[in-house]
Amino acid sequence: MVQNLHISAMSFAIGTNGLIKNEAHLLPAGEFAPTDGRNLPVKAFKLDAGIAAKVIALMSARKNDTLIDYEHQSLYAKENGKPVIAAGWFHEMEFRTDGLWATNIGWTETAKNLIKQNEYRYISAVFEFDATTGAVTDIWSIALTNTPALDGLQSLTALSQFKQLPQDQTLNTGDLTMSGPEVAALTTERDSLKTQVTALTSERDTLKANVVALSQERDDALGKLKTVEAEKAQVALAAEKKALSDLLATALSDGRLAPAQKAWAEKQSFAALTEYLDATKPLVTDGKQSDKAGADANHGLNETELAMCSNMGVKPEVFAATKQAEAERKAKAQA
C-alpha cells in the first residue's frame, strides 16, 4: 500500500585506484539499517534473493534505462533549476551473496574520466521499501557522490517526491523528516485551495451562464428591432404609394398629366413625379381634362397631342391651329 512505502538512500564505494567497472554494489544482503540513529518505521531494511527477484523483475519490465546522475541532481532539479546530467545508464541487476548489484552499466566518457581520476569515489542508490516489513520494493536511481554521511550505508540530505508519499504519518526521506502536524497543515492548505478552486469554477460557470443569457437577450432585442424597422418601412412605403396615387389623380384632374402619361407616371417615385409636375403647366386653363382617348370638340387634339402641348407649354388651340395650317399647306402642295 502507498502509505507503507518510504524512501531512503544508501552509498557504497565504487572503483579503486582509478579502476572503472561496469557494475556497482547498490544494497547489502540481509537486514541492514543506518547507523546515524535516525528513527525508522521498521527495525531494519531487508533484502534477500526472493525480495531482490521482485525488484529486478520490476526494473526489467520498464522500457527506459535507469539513470545514474551526479550528486542526485535529478532529485533537486525542481528546486535548484539546474540541468540533470547523466553519468551513465543501466537496465540490469543481479543478486549476489553480498547484496544487489547494477550490471552492464554504460558510463559516459565524462564519468569514466572522473572515476579514473578518483574525483568521484562513491555510488548512492535511492530505493523504496515497505514500512511494515522493511523489504526493499524498488530502485529509483543511483548517483555518483563524494559526500557519504554514513560508513557503508550512506544517506542523502534531501529527496524530491518522485511518487506519492504517506500523508498520515511521519515521512522518512533520508535526513529530511516531516512530522504529522506538518503534513496535516499542508493537507489543510491543500483542501483550502481545492475549495477555492471549486468556488472559482462555480463563479466562472455562473458568469458563462450570464453571458449566454445576455447574448440571448441581445439577439431577441435585435430581432424585435428588425421587426419594428421592417414594419416602419412597410408603413412608409404604403404612405408613399398612397401619396403618389393621390398626386397622380390630382395631376390628371388638373391637366398637368395627360391620360396617356398615367402608366409612365405610376412608375416614378413620389419625389421625381412631384419635381416633374412642379415644372409642368396644366393642359387646359380651367383645370379640366378629358380622360377619353377621343378628340376634344374645341381643338380636335387627341391625348398624345395634348401631352405634347403640356410638355412644350403650348396652348392646345395654338397647336390645333398650327396643325390645321400644316395640313392645308400639304394639301395645296399635292394639288
Side-chain angles (χ1 to χ4, degrees):
M1 298 176 63
V2 174
Q3 62 266 27
N4 291 331
L5 298 180
H6 294 252
I7 308 164
S8 185
M10 322 301 290
S11 296
F12 284 90
I14 181 172
T16 56
N17 298 324
L19 179 64
I20 301 174
K21 297 181 179 181
N22 68 342
E23 58 183 25
H25 193 182
L26 303 182
L27 296 174
E31 294 187 350
F32 56 94
T35 59
D36 60 353
R38 79 182 71 175
N39 293 323
L40 296 177
V42 292
K43 293 181 179 180
F45 305 127
K46 184 184 297 184
L47 179 66
D48 56 27
I51 295 172
K54 295 179 181 179
V55 176
I56 294 171
L58 185 61
M59 179 171 290
S60 297
R62 294 175 181 146
K63 294 182 179 180
N64 295 335
D65 293 337
T66 299
L67 171 69
I68 305 174
D69 62 5
Y70 296 95
E71 304 294 350
H72 293 289
Q73 172 56 23
S74 59
L75 304 177
Y76 298 104
K78 291 182 179 180
E79 298 177 4
N80 59 30
K82 296 180 181 180
V84 178
I85 301 175
W89 303 89
F90 72 101
H91 198 78
E92 300 176 14
M93 296 185 297
E94 64 179 48
F95 183 73
R96 303 174 183 174
T97 56
D98 58 351
L100 187 64
W101 286 73
T103 59
N104 294 322
I105 296 174
W107 298 106
T108 65
E109 291 301 319
T110 300
K112 288 180 182 179
N113 291 331
L114 291 173
I115 295 172
K116 185 181 296 184
Q117 298 299 324
N118 214 24
E119 295 185 28
Y120 269 104
R121 295 185 56 194
Y122 297 94
I123 192 163
S124 172
V126 179
F127 67 92
E128 188 177 90
F129 63 92
D130 190 306
T132 301
T133 65
V136 176
T137 58
D138 196 6
I139 298 294
W140 285 9
S141 67
I142 61 177
L144 289 176
T145 181
N146 281 329
T147 56
L150 303 176
D151 184 13
L153 299 181
Q154 313 301 338
S155 67
L156 294 176
T157 57
L159 296 176
S160 65
Q161 297 182 4
F162 278 4
K163 299 183 180 180
Q164 181 180 357
L165 298 178
Q167 297 179 347
D168 57 350
Q169 56 183 300
T170 299
L171 305 184
N172 185 296
T173 56
D175 293 337
L176 178 62
T177 301
M178 184 176 292
S179 66
E182 291 174 323
V183 173
L186 288 175
T187 301
T188 300
E189 183 177 357
R190 178 204 63 192
D191 294 341
S192 176
L193 291 174
K194 284 184 177 180
T195 300
Q196 293 179 34
V197 169
T198 300
L200 289 173
T201 301
S202 178
E203 183 177 353
R204 179 204 62 191
D205 294 341
T206 299
L207 290 174
K208 284 184 176 180
N210 290 340
V211 169
V212 172
L214 289 173
S215 298
Q216 184 62 48
E217 185 177 347
R218 176 204 61 196
D219 294 341
D220 293 343
L222 288 175
K224 292 179 180 179
L225 178 60
K226 289 180 179 180
T227 300
V228 170
E229 290 177 346
E231 291 176 351
K232 287 183 177 179
Q234 290 178 356
V235 171
L237 180 59
E240 183 176 358
K241 287 183 178 180
K242 178 64 168 58
L244 181 62
S245 178
D246 293 343
L247 178 62
L248 181 60
T250 301
L252 289 171
S253 175
D254 62 19
R256 286 177 294 170
L257 283 178
Q261 294 178 290
K262 182 178 181 182
W264 168 82
E266 289 175 340
K267 298 178 182 179
Q268 307 305 309
S269 67
F270 178 80
L273 185 58
T274 299
E275 182 179 359
Y276 172 78
L277 293 177
D278 287 345
T280 302
K281 297 179 179 180
L283 296 178
V284 292
T285 56
D286 60 0
K288 297 181 179 180
Q289 177 180 320
S290 173
D291 288 335
K292 297 181 181 180
D296 188 277
N298 296 325
H299 46 64
L301 300 180
N302 59 32
E303 292 181 352
T304 301
E305 291 169 335
L306 289 173
M308 292 174 63
C309 291
S310 177
N311 292 335
M312 293 185 296
V314 178
K315 293 182 178 181
E317 292 81 359
V318 175
F319 187 91
T322 303
K323 177 182 176 183
Q324 180 64 32
E326 181 64 18
E328 293 176 351
R329 185 187 67 76
K330 287 181 179 182
K332 290 179 179 182
Q334 292 176 355

